Amino acid sequence: MQKQHFIDNAWQGGSSPEMIAVVDPSTGTTFGSLARGTAADIARAVASSRAAVGDTFDGPWGRLSAAQRGRLMMRLAAAVTERNEEFAQIEARDTGKSMKTARVDATALARYFEYYGGAADKLHGDTLPYEHGYTVLTIREPHGVTGHIVPWNYPMQIFGRTVGASLAAGNACVVKPAEDASLSILRLAELAAEIGFPAGALNVVTGYGHEAGAALTAHPGIDHISFTGSTVTGRLVAEAAAKRHCPVTLELGGKSPQLVFDDADLDQALPVIVNAIIQNAGQTCSAGSRVLVQRGIYETVLERLAERFRALRAGPPVLELEMGPLVNEKQYGLVKGFIDAAEAERIPVVARGSVHPEAASAGYYQAAVLFRDVPHTSALAQKEIFGPVLAAMPFEDEAEAIRLANGTDYGLVAGVWTRDGARQFRVARALRCGQVFINNYGAGGGVELPFGGVKSSGHGREKGFEALLGFTVLKTIAIKHG
Ligand code: NAD
């Protein structure tokens, strides 16, 4: 299986003959290749998207009414829903994620296109009170051509939320998927063409981040960049964007805490806390990777978490276990490195899951691990591991819980488990992050709920109606009556 770029509604060979191997993480074997995109390929895609949107929004995509755009997006949502299993299989093979997670991702992708398709014709400006003799109004216009850099952990969901919102707002999109997970996005672009999206509305160029990704970020024809990925790369993207004053949304990493107070309903909390770290084998930006537990219930919580951790299995996607393998050898090495270093520091392991006997030995399987008494300053408590590793630590009171929760460079998501209503609000307001969940975590995905970080977790908001606003430019028009 050899995949080219998808530009102008057609498969197009790259300017370089070099290809990137596509590896199945559950076996470590290569099963295809991707075009290794260059700056020339990016330039071709940007020119195609510019023609689609038109210099004055008069191109075949730019001149569609909001309702027409929305209708096309709804059609794409329906087409993805019909092909849920096909998309799930593509993603499971490409990224190693369990079929269960892959199906959820395909469902969420369709839901994003449905949500933003429905929102396209509800995005409007205002009329503003002003001096006598004037009428003043604001119009929300698209940026033009937007660039989207997508990571490998949730390609379909992240595509849905960034490209969905951008298309709905009237932009044409150039997407650079992750080199480890491009197949579902390529198929999606092909499907969009099949159901009638005009050529250039959605172009996909595959390749490495430092080549195709960097070329997209630096291209003067890109009017807005949406980047989802690591904090380190996010900084490079922001620097490149700043050089030409290009607006940028950054969705970066996290070290999100779960705060468990002594009045929490543990039957409700514990399964959610476990799921929040093992979902997608821990390769989730909003993973709940720290569990802060009030001293009086610390031992009980650890005992009950340990029981659950011992039952967790990692195995090939087809077995539909709790976890699949990690995405690639590099990620496997990184996660293992954190675990080995923590053990060398003598941070106690409470429990480990297992790797299923049917898992190929060449696959990148990592059993889940629960650590306790993790020092707040240790790497385990401060760094994003991006694997199924949960760091538990005790706290005495609310003030300490908040201090620990806020005490990392990140600020993406937090979970708070307490039945005390006043405390729910106090703690939620004191946490420095983009989303707080009280007695739940993630609200089941929440396509409608604005998402994003503070500090090193990034800036700008995706998901919900808020994301649509970010993909527009507000223009004020003041009319003096004759
Ligand atoms: P990464 O930063 O290495 O790669 C992300 C994307 O950026 C890939 O498509 C890659 O090719 C591209 N890229 C790499 N170098 C580039 C460069 N110099 N210029 C432009 N693009 C470049 O991250 P990753 O390892 O693929 O993903 C894992 C990270 O993503 C984690 O830190 C995770 O927390 C974060 N993430 C955040 C969110 C969120 O919404 N906050 C969601 C998913 C993942």
Side-chain angles (χ1 to χ4, degrees), residues 395-464:
F395 67 83
E396 299 300 332
D397 55 18
E398 197 177 298
E400 188 184 14
I402 292 167
R403 189 173 56 73
L404 292 174
N406 286 340
T408 74
D409 289 341
Y410 295 105
L412 195 55
V413 173
V416 180
W417 300 89
T418 176
R419 285 186 256 218
D420 177 336
R423 179 191 275 154
Q424 292 172 357
F425 280 101
R426 264 197 320 271
V427 175
R429 296 298 298 266
L431 290 172
R432 287 208 62 207
C433 58
Q435 283 189 328
V436 178
F437 296 103
I438 313 277
N439 294 333
N440 79 94
Y441 196 81
V447 165
E448 306 84 347
L449 314 183
F451 174 74
V454 299
K455 303 193 283 181
S456 294
S457 292
H459 51 75
R461 291 293 176 264
E462 289 186 339
K463 304 172 81 164

Side-chain angles (χ1 to χ4, degrees), residues 253-301:
K255 191 72 195 174
S256 299
Q258 303 260 17
L259 287 66
V260 188
F261 288 90
D262 58 10
D263 63 341
D265 178 343
L266 296 183
D267 290 338
Q268 193 196 354
L270 299 184
V272 178
I273 289 172
V274 172
N275 189 54
I277 183 62
I278 60 137
Q279 182 182 313
N280 208 35
Q283 303 166 117
T284 303
C285 51
S286 55
S289 52
R290 294 182 293 153
V291 59
L292 316 180
V293 187
Q294 198 153 15
R295 178 78 69 186
I297 56 166
Y298 188 54
E299 294 303 330
T300 310
V301 166

Side-chain angles (χ1 to χ4, degrees), residues 29-30 48 108 125 127 150 201 252 265 274 320 323-324 352 438 473:
T29 51
T30 298
S48 149
T127 52
V150 179
L252 310 175
D265 178 343
V274 172
E320 310 216 5
M323 300 190 303
R352 280 179 216 275
I438 313 277
V473 179

Side-chain angles (χ1 to χ4, degrees), residues 6-12 44-54 58-64 72 145 167 171-174 189-190 192-204:
F6 198 81
I7 301 174
D8 244 352
N9 279 359
W11 295 106
Q12 296 201 14
R44 197 151 30 112
V46 174
S48 149
S49 288
R50 177 66 60 197
V53 78
D58 53 352
W61 174 246
R63 64 172 176 259
L64 289 189
L72 273 172
V145 178
L167 288 172
N171 301 288
C173 302
V174 179
E190 184 185 42
E194 281 165 24
I195 65 161
F197 273 71
L202 171 55
N203 288 319
V204 179

